[in-house]
Amino acid sequence: MTDRDHGTLLSFEYPDERRARIVADALAPEVGELDESRSSATVSRDGSVVRVRVTATDLVALRAGITSWSRLVAVAEGVSRDR
């Protein structure tokens, strides 16, 4: 990391690849939209696992990023149950 010295990787495993795809697809439009000067995130999927990598310039921004992305994942999971 360069100017984003803090980061974490959140991993969410789902019962099947289809549900993971729905969650990842729901999160994808938010990448770049929620980025600030102090934090950013990426979303990836490997089979039934969705990963959200959050990086930040400081720990306060990292905590805020983790909270925001955790909430987005929860909403996406709710949507995926309805499909």
Side-chain angles (χ1 to χ4, degrees):
M1 290 184 236
T2 55
D3 62 337
R4 303 205 186 255
D5 293 331
H6 304 282
T8 194
L9 179 64
L10 307 173
S11 294
F12 304 90
E13 188 167 1
Y14 297 96
D16 54 56
E17 188 172 334
R18 179 182 175 278
R19 183 150 182 228
R21 186 178 322 109
I22 292 169
V23 170
D25 289 350
L27 295 173
E30 303 303 330
V31 173
E33 292 296 315
L34 293 179
D35 290 354
E36 313 176 339
S37 61
R38 294 173 49 207
S39 69
S40 63
T42 59
V43 175
S44 62
R45 184 182 61 82
D46 183 14
S48 62
V49 177
V50 174
R51 292 185 179 91
V52 178
R53 180 175 302 281
V54 181
T55 57
T57 58
D58 58 79
L59 293 175
V60 173
L62 180 62
R63 185 189 70 201
I66 291 168
T67 300
S68 294
W69 281 95
S70 295
R71 288 180 181 159
L72 286 171
V73 169
V75 170
E77 287 175 346
V79 170
S80 73
R81 283 188 204 108
D82 296 338
R83 291 184 170 201

